[in-house]
Structures are given as C-alpha cells and as structure tokens.
Amino acid sequence: MKVLKAGAAVAIAVALTLTASACGSSKKDDTASDAGSSGGAKKDKIVIGIKFDQPGVGLKTPDGKYAGFDVDVATYVAKELGYAPDQIQFKQAVSAERENLISNGDVKFIVASYSINDKRKEKVDFAGPYFLAHQDLLVRADDTSITKPEDLNSKKLCSVTGSTSAQNVKTKLAPKADLQEFPGYSECLTGLESKAVDALTTDNSILAGYAAQDKNKGKFKLVGLSLSNENYGIGLKKGDKELQTKINAAIAKMEADGSWEAAVKKNFGPANYKNEPAPQITEGK
C-alpha cells in the first residue's frame, strides 16, 4: 500500500508540473502577441498616423513608399519601442481627423506636423516637442503684393480644414482675408498656381517642402515671416503616461545621437531651409 501511495504522489506531482509549465507558456505567448501594449515583445504591426501630402515632412510617394522628416522621426520612435521598419503601418492622418484617430484607437500615435496647443490637449496627450516651426506664407514667385500679414485683408487665403494656421491669420492678423479651407495642402497649392487663391499659409517647414519639389521650383516663394511658433508634438491617447515617457526618451535619444540633425538636413536641406535647434522636451514633465 505504501508503494502504491508513493507512486500516485509522483504521478500527481508530474501532472502539476506539466500543467504549470503549460500555463506559463500560454501567458508568455499572449504577451508576445500583444501589439497594443506599451511594453513587452512585439510581433504584430504598429499603426502610426502621418501626413501623406506634405513633401519634406510626410509624403506617400507614387511607388507606395513614405518619405519626410516626420516619417524618419516616426520610424526612429517605433524602433525604440521594439518595431522594425517592416512592422510599421502608416495611416493617413489629415488635420481634421487626428484627434479622432487617436481616441478611436485607429493609430498608436501620430507624427504629422501636429502643433501642441491647449485645445488639442483637452482630447489627446503629446510627447515632445520634437521640432519648432514658424507659420509663414507661400505666394506665387512673381507676386509682390504680399509682404506682410495685413496685405491679406484683400486677398484669398488658403489653408486646410482643422489647421491652426488660417485661424491665426484670420483672428489676429488679417480679419478681412477671404479664407478658403480645403481638405489638403495639395488642393491649396493647385489653387495658388491657378490664381484661385492668393496665398497659402501653414508652417514654413511644410511650405519649404512644397517649394523645393522639382515640379514646383521657380513657381512659388516663401514670404519669410514668422507669424507663430509651432511646436510639433507626437499625439497619443490621453492618459497613456507609459507610452508618453517611452516616446520622450526616444526623441531625446534621436537628438543626442545625431539622427535628428541628419533627418533635418536630408529632408529640408534641398530647400535651403534654416531650422531652429531641437526644442526642449516639455510634455509629460
């Protein structure tokens, strides 16, 4: 009887060990496949919002690739979060939809010339800032009638729906400007070339990207104004402090190891654009 009891005890112990091992293995696999978490191993793709129509900043090229300073920043941050370039899925983030994309969980974060302001911070959190731009005006190369903001009072001014740039001009600088809002900057640029509008306003980094395109060289010029300070931040879901901290650390590392400066020169250098130094990270501090 004692031998039988001992044998039964051994069998039970072996069974318990196998069960515990199986449970531990299942838990590990769950963690590895959880692409939505801020930490742990990553097997799935990460979805990042960028602009598709901003040369030099965020552009989807005809061959289906992506280029621009924001793309380089997004790729670097994703790498620091554990994602290889082939694990990144870029999703178009038009200005008017950025908060919705974040709050609905359609993207993990957004890097899309996304200026940090108090109104937006009511709905989303930011990491960064990672870049400082200034609002300016783009006009036709032969236009000498617009040299200061007040000149827009008798002009048609174009910007995109949901952008802060047009409202800055309309409310503070040229209240009588005829404001035209289009879904994207490409439509504004077409209107500017055809003389349907007289000026396009947004950040000088974006305008420089358009002016530097081969097809646009000689057609447009920057007026050279600094109408506002635009601190670009990386937008993420409100309350995700862990992700915010990790993105801030990635931005700081990018600036420290020279990757930030290299990305600026690669994307804005051809337009002879003089950028500001990397801004101090303030969000989440």
Side-chain angles (χ1 to χ4, degrees):
M1 293 294 292
K2 289 181 179 179
V3 174
L4 290 173
K5 287 182 178 179
V10 171
I12 292 170
V14 171
L16 288 173
T17 300
L18 291 173
T19 301
S21 176
C23 290
S25 175
S26 175
K27 184 176 182 180
K28 183 178 181 181
D29 288 343
D30 287 344
T31 301
S33 63
D34 183 10
S37 65
S38 298
K42 306 292 192 303
K43 286 188 175 180
D44 297 329
K45 291 185 180 295
I46 184 171
V47 183
I48 303 174
I50 62 168
K51 289 293 180 68
F52 279 15
D53 66 341
Q54 292 181 353
V57 180
L59 182 70
K60 184 176 182 179
T61 59
D63 59 0
K65 296 180 180 180
Y66 303 91
F69 180 72
D70 280 353
V71 175
D72 290 341
V73 171
T75 302
Y76 191 99
V77 170
K79 173 179 69 72
E80 292 301 304
L81 294 177
Y83 295 94
D86 62 358
Q87 291 176 290
I88 300 172
Q89 178 183 335
F90 287 118
K91 186 177 182 67
Q92 186 173 23
V94 298
S95 295
E97 290 298 319
R98 287 177 295 203
E99 286 83 20
N100 290 334
L101 289 171
I102 293 171
S103 61
N104 292 339
D106 295 323
V107 296
K108 189 66 175 176
F109 56 83
I110 285 180
V111 192
S113 56
Y114 202 1
S115 298
I116 300 170
N117 62 43
D118 290 339
K119 183 177 181 181
R120 288 171 176 164
K121 287 169 71 171
E122 292 176 1
K123 298 179 179 179
V124 301
D125 280 339
F126 287 95
Y130 65 92
F131 193 80
L132 174 60
H134 300 290
Q135 184 182 348
D136 199 355
L137 301 173
L138 189 72
V139 298
R140 289 180 291 278
D142 60 355
D143 188 343
T144 59
S145 66
I146 301 174
T147 59
K148 57 186 183 297
E150 292 77 13
D151 293 334
L152 294 169
N153 277 315
S154 59
K155 304 288 187 178
K156 291 182 178 179
L157 173 66
C158 189
S159 194
V160 301
T161 306
S163 170
T164 59
S165 300
Q167 294 304 323
N168 284 340
V169 173
K170 183 74 174 174
T171 59
K172 300 175 184 178
L173 303 169
K176 295 182 180 179
D178 183 3
L179 179 59
Q180 309 284 317
E181 292 185 295
F182 294 160
Y185 292 108
S186 297
E187 291 90 337
C188 281
L189 204 69
T190 299
L192 183 60
E193 184 174 6
S194 67
K195 299 186 178 182
V197 298
D198 300 300
L200 163 58
T201 186
T202 188
D203 305 341
N204 51 10
S205 56
I206 299 170
L207 297 176
Y210 278 116
Q213 282 188 298
D214 288 339
K215 64 180 181 179
N216 293 328
K217 285 181 179 177
K219 294 181 180 179
F220 309 106
K221 64 181 180 182
L222 288 163
V223 175
L225 306 174
S226 293
L227 302 179
S228 68
N229 294 328
E230 304 296 335
N231 282 291
Y232 291 173
I234 296 180
L236 62 146
K237 185 165 286 188
K238 199 163 184 64
D240 194 341
K241 298 300 181 184
E242 181 182 0
L243 181 59
Q244 184 184 49
T245 299
K246 289 184 176 182
I247 294 178
N248 278 337
I251 294 170
K253 184 177 178 180
M254 186 179 186
E255 294 170 357
D257 69 12
S259 299
W260 185 91
E261 186 67 29
V264 169
K265 290 180 179 178
K266 181 183 78 171
N267 292 291
F268 300 130
N272 197 29
Y273 171 71
K274 301 185 186 308
N275 65 283
E276 298 278 4
Q280 182 179 357
I281 295 173
T282 56
E283 297 303 304
K285 300 296 185 179

